[in-house]
Amino acid sequence: MTTTVSHAEKFLVYDGDCPMCRSTVAWLTRLRLVDPAQLRSNHVLEGADLETVRRAGIRNQLVVLDPETRETRAGTDGLLWIIGENTGNHFLVRLLGLPGLRHLLRWGYETISYNRRVISPPRSRIVCDCEPEVTLARRMMLVVPALVLAFVILALFGAAVFHGFNMGGMSDGALLMAAAVGCGWLVMSAAGLVLLRGEQRIDYLAHLTMTLLAGSLVLVPGGLLVELVPRAGLVVIAVSALVSFALMLSMQRRRVAAVGLSLRWLWAWSVAVALGAVAVAFLYASRMSA
């Protein structure tokens, strides 16, 4: 694919405060799908252009503006519009624009875009007119599939560990691993729902879920190695668990700050995760010794 920029070309406006948005537009330029001259941060616009993209929904999604006709398109519709023109209406662009695929692409993009402050929180807390709208339904579009995926990975990891060490049935391992990690998530989710208010409560739940998903993904290589190289099992499990916890601790520290909470919430999360794991391990040991 090659990019050919015409006179008075359309330009793509993005959220200049969002790390993920900046990475995305950088990726688009590296692939030569969008020319750097066609990019505008929302912070550099003014006057009629700024008002136009605000009306088009720059708060929630990127917007493509045609400066000649003043037409705007948001989200994936805008991306397909500008990339299609730049690439001579490439076959893949036409394919993604077909009904069904276009709607699936739009759903995936909106799930990410409306939740971009949760997926990739800024280094410091930002409150501005480009802040995505927070609704329970939009947050659940991210939280539910992320939570399901995290617990599936945890269950598979637990099953692999039990199978590799002959500790019992794979179903027991799946259940106990999910319970060990899920206890901490459940305790802190309940604390957030009870003690926090409004958007902060929904955001905290979403941040907890993204932390859990990232921590579970780290366990995937360890689970595979336990099955493939049983002799290295103990080392693999120990390293996987330590790396997973260290990553989650680092993520949660940043995310607690992003929600505007004190470090007490971070330490409470650490204690809840540790106690949950210890409690499940104790129950398992008690059952095995009975």
Side-chain angles (χ1 to χ4, degrees):
M1 295 185 186
T2 59
T3 300
T4 302
V5 182
S6 59
H7 178 66
E9 67 270 19
K10 302 173 180 67
F11 57 83
L12 185 156
V13 186
Y14 62 95
D15 178 2
D17 287 321
C18 173
M20 186 172 62
C21 298
R22 295 196 299 270
S23 298
T24 299
V25 297
W27 175 75
L28 290 172
T29 59
R30 283 195 297 270
L31 292 178
R32 302 178 67 187
L33 298 175
V34 179
D35 192 273
Q38 293 177 298
L39 299 175
R40 305 282 192 281
S41 165
N42 58 323
H43 298 305
V44 305
L45 292 185
E46 56 186 17
D49 286 346
L50 180 58
E51 184 59 30
T52 298
V53 299
R54 279 178 174 171
R55 289 199 304 268
I58 188 59
R59 175 179 179 182
N60 298 314
Q61 305 181 70
L62 60 81
V63 173
V64 175
L65 169 64
D66 186 329
E68 292 186 345
T69 66
R70 310 305 295 174
E71 181 182 357
T72 59
R73 296 184 191 179
T76 51
D77 291 339
L79 283 174
L80 292 175
W81 191 32
I82 193 170
I83 293 173
E85 182 175 284
N86 288 347
T87 60
N89 203 20
H90 191 275
F91 166 74
L92 290 177
V93 178
R94 297 198 306 272
L95 179 65
L96 292 173
L98 293 175
L101 284 177
R102 184 178 71 249
H103 293 86
L104 182 62
L105 186 65
R106 182 184 299 160
W107 177 84
Y109 172 82
E110 289 183 359
T111 298
I112 295 172
S113 182
Y114 276 83
N115 293 289
R116 61 186 184 271
R117 293 284 194 265
V118 171
I119 297 173
S120 180
R123 291 292 177 183
S124 57
R125 197 176 184 206
I126 295 173
V127 178
C128 63
D129 59 3
C130 58
E131 193 77 13
E133 292 177 283
V134 178
T135 66
L136 180 60
R138 293 290 185 186
R139 284 289 187 261
M140 290 303 103
M141 286 173 63
L142 176 70
V143 169
V144 172
L147 197 59
V148 170
L149 178 58
F151 277 105
V152 167
I153 293 172
L154 289 169
L156 291 174
F157 180 77
V161 171
F162 268 50
H163 180 261
F165 287 97
N166 296 316
M167 297 170 62
M170 295 177 68
S171 58
D172 291 338
L175 181 61
L176 286 169
M177 184 63 190
V181 179
C183 285
W185 180 88
L186 186 61
V187 167
M188 295 310 298
S189 295
L193 292 174
V194 172
L195 300 176
L196 303 179
R197 294 292 179 268
E199 294 181 4
Q200 195 178 41
R201 178 167 53 184
I202 302 172
D203 285 351
Y204 183 67
L205 174 64
H207 281 292
L208 277 177
T209 300
M210 294 308 297
T211 299
L212 178 64
L213 177 60
S216 66
L217 288 171
V218 171
L219 299 176
V220 171
L224 294 174
L225 284 172
V226 166
E227 286 292 320
L228 297 174
V229 191
R231 293 181 180 178
L234 286 175
V235 175
V236 169
I237 296 304
V239 171
S240 296
L242 287 174
V243 172
S244 177
F245 182 77
L247 174 64
M248 290 193 294
L249 183 64
S250 175
M251 287 181 62
Q252 200 59 22
R253 183 185 182 93
R254 180 178 174 185
R255 289 166 182 275
V256 163
V259 182
L261 300 176
S262 71
L263 285 178
R264 285 179 295 180
W265 284 84
L266 174 66
W267 308 133
W269 171 87
S270 302
V271 171
V273 170
L275 288 179
V278 169
V280 172
F282 177 77
L283 289 175
Y284 172 75
S286 300
R287 193 184 70 171
M288 293 296 292
S289 62

